[in-house]
Amino acid sequence: MAQQVLSALQMPWLLSAYGTLAQSVAANRLPAAVLLTGVAGIGKRTLADDLASLLICVQPQTTELGYLRACGQCKSCQLKDAGNHPDYLFLTANDKGTITVDAIRELTRVTAQATHQSGRRVIVIVGAEAMNSNAANALLKTLEEPPAGTFIIMTTAVSSRLLPTIISRCQHYPLSASPEQATDWLQQHQLNVDFNVLTLLQNAPLALQNFIQSEEYAQLQAFSALYARWQQGEKGALNELKELIAQAPVERINWLINWVSAEAKQAPSPLASQLSQFYRNLLNSRVVLSQSGINQVLQVEKVISYGVLVNRE
């Protein structure tokens, strides 16, 4: 069965940003460049797509709640949904994880041409941080003098990797969800999640939904049970944690970082001090694990050896 395509209007944490953007479209005040930022799984691409659809639509409609949205029925909407709209351009990283200067130059070439449908041209760049330096500089030229009727919508989870000059030429919309919003939305989809998992994925509802429905979630539940046993003073549980983390060190070291951080905030002294040191060691270990040529299993064993010294008596 095909997965349901969700709209930003179905994601409460996106409603404020969507409403502001839609009002700007209605008033012909939308800036030529919009930058949507937020953690993975917060819905940046969904919001970008909905905004692009609204800009492309020739007969937008108002919902019962007062939000302007694309009709989904006009010729422009149908062409976009089919991936054939000549004034809608979508760009993301190639197989090597890069947005190249040639790709940006092609966008620039197209934007110099006349539009075909509504008089608007929309460019969506997902994962804009993937632009290499040449690509970023090429895009900057377009942002400095955007063609009339052209709108550029970019998304990024790592805004620090964008040129400051690019950021300064965009209207910035940071996106986030509260723990309550994430929990309520997941419960509406018959999914439950505990606090540690919420913080692990930074309250990003879509990331949480995908993770809970993945095979990796069962491993996280096993991890949680082992950590609880270690909290109760069972030292052997930490060795089992080490084995579980060693199966996928780069991904799973974050689990231990998250759990230790949460416990350290609530633990009595001197246990809190020991856990805080363990937490700092784990952060350093995460940096090391991300480097190439590292014996990851050995690194996991090294950092866990400090955890064994934590005195829970």
Side-chain angles (χ1 to χ4, degrees):
M1 183 174 64
Q3 186 174 8
Q4 180 187 8
V5 178
L6 295 176
S7 161
L9 295 175
Q10 297 171 287
M11 303 177 188
W13 63 95
L14 297 181
L15 287 180
S16 177
Y18 179 83
T20 300
L21 289 163
Q23 288 175 359
S24 296
V25 172
N28 291 317
R29 291 187 289 103
L30 186 73
V34 170
L35 177 63
L36 307 177
T37 64
V39 299
I42 202 65
K44 301 181 297 296
R45 182 167 179 171
T46 298
L47 181 55
D49 187 66
D50 280 7
L51 177 57
S53 296
L54 179 58
L55 286 164
I56 289 293
C57 180
V58 297
Q59 51 185 36
Q61 300 176 347
T62 302
T63 68
E64 293 180 356
L65 297 177
Y67 292 98
L68 192 69
R69 66 173 303 171
C71 71
Q73 303 298 321
C74 69
K75 181 179 179 181
S76 285
C77 284
Q78 292 178 348
L79 284 171
K80 178 184 175 296
D81 290 343
N84 296 322
H85 199 296
D87 296 327
Y88 172 70
L89 306 172
F90 178 85
L91 181 62
T92 191
N94 58 24
D95 293 341
K96 296 181 179 180
T98 302
I99 296 176
T100 66
V101 64
D102 288 340
I104 297 296
R105 285 173 178 165
E106 176 60 17
L107 290 182
T108 303
R109 183 189 68 79
V110 173
T111 58
Q113 303 173 0
T115 58
H116 296 77
Q117 300 290 326
S118 66
R120 291 170 174 165
R121 176 174 286 113
V122 182
I123 299 170
V124 173
I125 304 177
V126 169
E129 72 277 4
M131 288 186 291
N132 59 32
S133 58
N134 290 334
N137 284 316
L139 179 65
L140 185 59
K141 295 178 181 178
T142 300
L143 293 176
E144 289 172 342
E145 298 181 11
T150 293
F151 297 90
I152 300 174
I153 307 167
M154 293 185 287
T155 76
T156 181
V158 197
S159 57
S160 61
R161 289 174 56 185
L162 293 178
L163 291 177
T165 45
I166 285 183
I167 296 175
S168 68
R169 285 167 173 77
C170 298
Q171 184 72 48
H172 182 201
Y173 290 85
L175 308 175
S176 63
S178 68
E180 294 76 18
Q181 287 174 324
T183 300
D184 290 348
W185 189 80
L186 288 167
Q187 288 177 345
Q188 291 173 17
H189 292 76
Q190 289 75 54
L191 297 172
N192 294 304
V193 64
D194 63 31
F195 176 77
N196 278 327
V197 182
L198 277 175
T199 56
L200 180 66
L201 296 179
Q202 297 175 273
N203 303 322
L206 302 180
L208 286 159
Q209 181 185 42
N210 290 335
F211 184 71
I212 293 170
Q213 295 173 333
S214 72
E215 294 181 0
E216 188 72 351
Y217 186 54
Q219 296 297 319
L220 180 62
Q221 290 177 306
F223 170 93
S224 183
L226 286 170
Y227 193 91
R229 285 166 49 193
W230 182 51
Q231 280 183 301
Q232 295 164 7
E234 188 178 331
K235 294 185 178 180
L238 196 59
N239 286 324
E240 294 183 55
L241 279 175
K242 177 185 68 178
E243 295 174 3
L244 191 151
I245 293 170
Q247 295 169 10
V250 175
E251 296 81 8
R252 295 180 182 176
I253 195 70
N254 286 319
W255 298 358
L256 191 53
I257 289 172
N258 193 66
W259 263 247
V260 170
S261 174
E263 186 186 3
K265 293 175 182 178
Q266 301 179 11
S269 181
L271 177 58
S273 177
Q274 295 179 47
L275 288 171
S276 294
Q277 182 60 53
F278 189 25
Y279 172 75
R280 290 190 289 271
N281 291 353
L282 288 166
L283 290 179
N284 292 333
S285 181
R286 181 171 63 184
V287 174
V288 174
L289 286 170
S290 66
Q291 299 172 0
S292 60
I294 294 296
N295 185 325
Q296 294 182 338
V297 173
L298 186 61
Q299 181 61 30
V300 170
E301 291 179 351
K302 179 180 178 180
V303 73
I304 292 296
S305 66
Y306 182 88
V308 172
L309 300 178
V310 172
N311 184 8
R312 292 186 171 277
E313 296 179 357

